[in-house]
Each structure stands twice: as structure tokens, then as C-alpha cells.
Amino acid sequence: MSFDLSVIPNKNIVLAVTGGIAAYKSAILVRRLKDAGFNVRVVMTQGAQAFITPLTFQALSGNPVHTELLNPEAEAGMGHIELARWADLLLVAPASCDTLAKFAAGLADDLLSTLYLATKSPVWVAPAMNQQMWAAKATQRNLNTLVEDGVHVIMPDAGSQACGDVGLGRMPEPEDLALQVTQYFHRAQRAIAEKFGLLAGKHVVITAGPTREAIDPVRYISNHSTGKMGFALAAACYAAGAKVTLIAGPVSLDTPNGVHRINVSSAVQMLDLSMQMLDEGCDIFIATAAVADYRVAEIAEHKIKKAGDELNVSLIKNPDIVATIAGQQKRPFMVGFAAETRNVEEYAAGKLVAKKLDMIACNDVSRADIGFASDENAMTVFFAEQYQIQKRDLEKASKQEIAQQLVEAIHDALHHEIEPV
Ligand code: C5P
């Protein structure tokens, strides 16, 4: 899919700081934008450097600061065109009178004015200046031109100014600016989700069903998992606009429409394929498979013959697929399942931490009306510490409806938009 749906933590902001006393507020703005999960690169005009040093912004943004247009060294790093393409938003704060005039006139005599012309991303300006300069006809004329050109103007606050005047011209507080930026990306994300689906643009990999661990060419160890939950989730993720790869153990279920299914037998095969999917780019990994905890240490080459009253088969531990994927450096959003017969919530919360998951859905399989072979399910979802919500109860419903509720929970967690309970 061609459209970019990366969530807010992967959005790039070029913060341009121009000459004005409000430049000190921009240092805090970088902090707040970083706190909200944005990648930030700072561009400074000559004027800005008279108020605050590039080193401050370098330390706060964690990136080199861009100051010059015609600097071969800087251009070799991230040149102005690359920077213009990198930006998901060009935020000019504070925006001086001079910068507004340059933008309005289409000048390109320094890095920032060139960037402004070279970027396709939205441009926001937060003017900050003396109230008389703000009110000046030329400034207002330039602002009108910018608005006509599609620039978003963040209105200055009124109040006492550094120069002693009182009036319009103060840059809004950094917290307020960061909030406006965050809300803008959330709105954009929601609009895309409404149009293309909650998981549009994501690659979801799902493990499902049991695994089958061979003892000899004709016998195996397995379990009663039917794979229904994993298949229902695959269908729900596809319906939510995701590209779905379903790594299925031996089950007798039809492949949901639009889903790419790969059949496997053993836990080791399931892990190998899961790792391959990681290499191919996986955004969300959902482990619904009932993986056999142990496999036979040495699979007999030929059928084991009946002999004596006892047969000893030595078993060794299978790899934990979901924990292995979660332990990788570049890991997807990880969802696990826990089927328990007692202390359901306690065990599930323990697995969330032990397996380094982002989310775990657990159900009480001691209840006859839900779980394993049943068509209905009821679940409680726990989220890792960094999410705003820690727990969400899903209503008892068909596995299809539960799958839909899980897709919503994944979407909400990915967007850090979960309402506190
Ligand atoms: O430890 P337990 O089997 O209860 O954990 C359940 C969760 O871990 C499920 O999401 C299951 O798919 C996953 N799992 C796994 N590999 C294993 C064992 C469990 O991916 N070997």
C-alpha cells in the first residue's frame, strides 16, 4: 500500500526557529514534541542564533541543527531537499516578521526560506513579535498571503511583551503548541482510519492453531486448539485494511478472504516463518497459536514398534515464538493470548511482562461457555505499562465480534489514544 500511516511516534517535525526573544520557548517546545513521540530536527536562522545557541537544540532534539544553505558538509549529511522531504510538518516557531515576509514573497536566500518552498508537507507558523509590528499593514498583508497559500497561522497570544508593550504578539506556550501539533496528527490519523480502516497500511502477522510435534513418521504430540480465534482475527484485520499473513498450524478452517496463509506443522517451523515475516516488515504480531511447550528430542526415523509395557520419549522445550519476536531489536507491536483455568488475570499480567508484550488478551478456559472450541469468547485485555490504559474488558460475544474489539484495542494502543479508565 502506498499511503503512509505510521503512527505519531514516527512522525517527523522540522522545527524552524527564527530571530525573536520567544526562541527560548522553542527549546521547551522541542522537549514537549519529543515527549509526544515526534522525531524533531531543528533549523535556525541567523537571527535565531543571536538569541539561543544551536548546541541547545542539538542536545534537546538529539539531532544536528541545520543553519546554513550553502554548507557542503551539512548538505552531505541531510541536505535541504532531503530535509524538506523528511518533514511531515514544518513548524516555524517563533516566526519573525522577516520570515513571514520572505515566505509571502517567495524568496529563497537562506535555508529556511528555501525549505519552505521545497517542502510538500503542511507549514505552520507561530508569529511572535512586538504588538505594533504584528499590527503593521505589511505584516497583516503577508499573513493574508500565507493563509491564501495554505499556511496554517497559529495566532499569537495577547499580554505583556518582553519590550514592555502590552498586546498581541506573544508566542503561545510550548505545551499548547505541542498539544495542537499532536491533535493535528491524531485528526489526520483518524480521517485516514475512517477512510481506509483502523489498521490500514499495516502488515499484521498472526500465528494460529496448534503445532504438531512429530514422534515418528506416523505419530505426533498436539493439542485441541481449533485456530478459530486466530482465523477470526485474520479476517478482522483484513477488513480493517491491513495486509495479513496467517501462519497456521494444522487446522480444518477455510482461509479468510484476502488473507495470505502459510501452513506449518511444528513450533520450530512456526518460529522460522515468523522470523522471516519480521525481515519482510511486520507492524503487528499477534500470537494466538497454542504452541506445544515441548517437542520430541529425537524424532524416530521409522515407526516405533510396540515393545514392552512402557515407552519413554524424551521431550525438550520448544522456543517461545512470541517472546523471541518480542526480544528482537526492531520489533512489531506484540499481542499475546493467555488461556488460563485459574488466577486468570494474575497469570496473564505476568506473561505480559515476562514475554515483553504490548498487549495480552486472556480468557478463562475453565468456563464451558467460552474459550477453546467454543464459538463464543469473553476476554480481558491488559496493556503494557507505557499505554494510558492498563485493562479493557471485552464483552462476551462471537469470536468474530471479539476479533473486531481486539482490532480496536490494537488501534487505540498504537495511537496512544486510549481514554484513561
Ligand atoms: O506461555 P503460554 O503458552 O501460556 O503463552 C501464551 C502466549 O504465548 C500465546 O500468545 C501463544 O501464542 C504464545 N506462545 C508462543 N510460543 C510458545 C508458547 C506460547 O508464541 N512456545
Side-chain angles (χ1 to χ4, degrees):
M1 277 170 238
S2 56
F3 43 91
D4 171 24
L5 285 170
S6 32
V7 292
I8 286 175
N10 287 323
K11 290 292 179 192
N12 301 330
I13 299 201
V14 170
L15 172 65
V17 184
T18 73
I21 184 60
Y24 80 92
K25 289 189 186 174
S26 307
I28 304 164
L29 178 57
V30 174
R31 279 296 281 271
R32 297 293 162 259
L33 291 171
K34 296 276 291 178
D35 289 347
F38 293 105
N39 306 314
V40 182
R41 283 182 174 268
V42 176
V43 168
M44 296 180 80
T45 60
Q46 284 260 304
Q49 292 169 65
F51 289 90
I52 189 164
T53 68
L55 197 60
T56 305
F57 286 110
Q58 181 178 315
L60 291 171
S61 68
N63 282 314
V65 171
H66 307 261
T67 53
E68 284 169 69
L69 178 61
L70 304 173
N71 178 338
E73 217 172 278
E75 284 291 298
M78 187 183 268
H80 65 282
I81 298 294
E82 226 179 322
L83 193 58
R85 289 190 188 131
W86 182 83
D88 291 307
L89 176 72
L90 171 60
L91 171 62
V92 189
S96 66
C97 264
D98 184 53
T99 299
L100 300 177
K102 273 188 183 168
F103 283 5
L107 291 180
D109 62 351
D110 64 3
L111 177 59
L112 177 56
S113 48
T114 311
L115 258 183
Y116 170 69
L117 293 179
T119 193
K120 279 204 290 192
S121 74
V123 179
W124 287 22
V125 294
M129 59 196 69
N130 164 272
Q131 51 90 23
Q132 202 56 54
M133 291 171 82
W134 166 259
K137 280 194 175 135
T139 305
Q140 291 302 314
R141 191 169 56 237
N142 289 334
L143 280 164
N144 281 335
T145 305
L146 292 184
V147 170
E148 271 172 31
D149 291 347
V151 172
H152 174 62
V153 178
I154 302 169
M155 285 298 284
D157 288 342
S160 62
Q161 302 199 299
C163 50
D165 280 7
V166 177
L168 268 178
R170 288 163 53 94
M171 187 168 99
E173 294 308 311
E175 288 73 15
D176 184 27
L177 286 178
L179 185 69
Q180 289 190 40
V181 171
T182 309
Q183 285 173 339
Y184 163 75
F185 280 102
H186 274 142
R187 274 198 307 276
Q189 194 74 47
R190 258 198 302 273
I192 292 168
E194 269 165 32
K195 197 160 173 204
F196 300 105
L198 290 179
L199 300 181
K202 305 283 181 213
H203 180 198
V204 182
V205 176
I206 302 173
T207 66
T211 64
R212 202 176 258 186
E213 311 299 334
I215 301 172
D216 67 15
V218 295
R219 302 181 180 93
Y220 56 80
I221 299 171
S222 192
N223 59 60
H224 290 299
S225 166
T226 59
K228 280 182 186 169
M229 192 66 238
F231 276 59
L233 260 167
C237 290
Y238 179 73
K243 169 184 159 188
V244 184
T245 305
L246 179 60
I247 305 177
V251 292
S252 50
L253 292 173
D254 291 335
T255 308
N257 180 34
V259 168
H260 175 52
R261 173 180 181 173
I262 306 170
N263 289 328
V264 294
S265 184
S266 69
V268 170
Q269 285 173 349
M270 195 175 261
L271 175 63
D272 283 352
L273 264 160
S274 301
M275 291 297 279
Q276 263 181 46
M277 286 304 130
L278 213 58
D279 289 342
E280 286 178 22
C282 159
D283 303 297
I284 301 163
F285 188 91
I286 310 177
T288 69
V291 182
D293 289 327
Y294 293 91
R295 69 176 181 277
V296 175
E298 261 181 69
I299 304 170
E301 198 182 332
H302 298 287
K303 186 178 170 192
I304 300 171
K305 288 294 183 197
K306 251 188 295 245
D309 288 340
E310 274 187 28
L311 170 68
N312 288 315
V313 179
S314 157
L315 301 178
I316 53 171
K317 206 154 202 268
N318 259 333
D320 191 311
I321 298 168
V322 80
T324 308
I325 304 287
Q328 304 299 307
Q329 214 177 14
K330 199 164 175 286
R331 53 174 252 161
F333 181 85
M334 298 297 303
V335 184
F337 278 73
E340 305 290 348
T341 54
R342 63 195 171 102
N343 299 342
V344 181
E345 302 204 346
E346 187 190 328
Y347 286 148
K351 278 177 195 172
L352 178 76
V353 175
K355 296 185 188 234
K356 298 198 180 76
L357 305 176
D358 293 289
M359 179 176 143
I360 193 161
C362 65
N363 61 345
D364 184 345
V365 286
S366 68
R367 282 174 56 182
D369 58 330
I370 56 171
F372 279 143
S374 162
D375 285 330
E376 288 218 304
N377 215 337
M379 290 197 158
T380 306
V381 179
F382 292 94
F383 300 86
E385 246 179 7
Q386 67 266 31
Y387 299 100
Q388 287 166 21
I389 195 178
Q390 295 296 289
K391 185 179 165 191
R392 183 181 280 186
D393 285 314
L394 309 185
E395 296 294 313
K396 181 179 162 189
S398 70
K399 283 187 175 167
Q400 282 68 28
E401 281 158 337
I402 287 280
Q404 180 55 36
Q405 293 183 58
L406 284 167
V407 163
E408 283 161 24
I410 293 169
H411 168 266
D412 291 348
L414 274 172
H415 295 249
H416 296 249
E417 269 189 300
I418 299 168
E419 297 295 329
V421 276

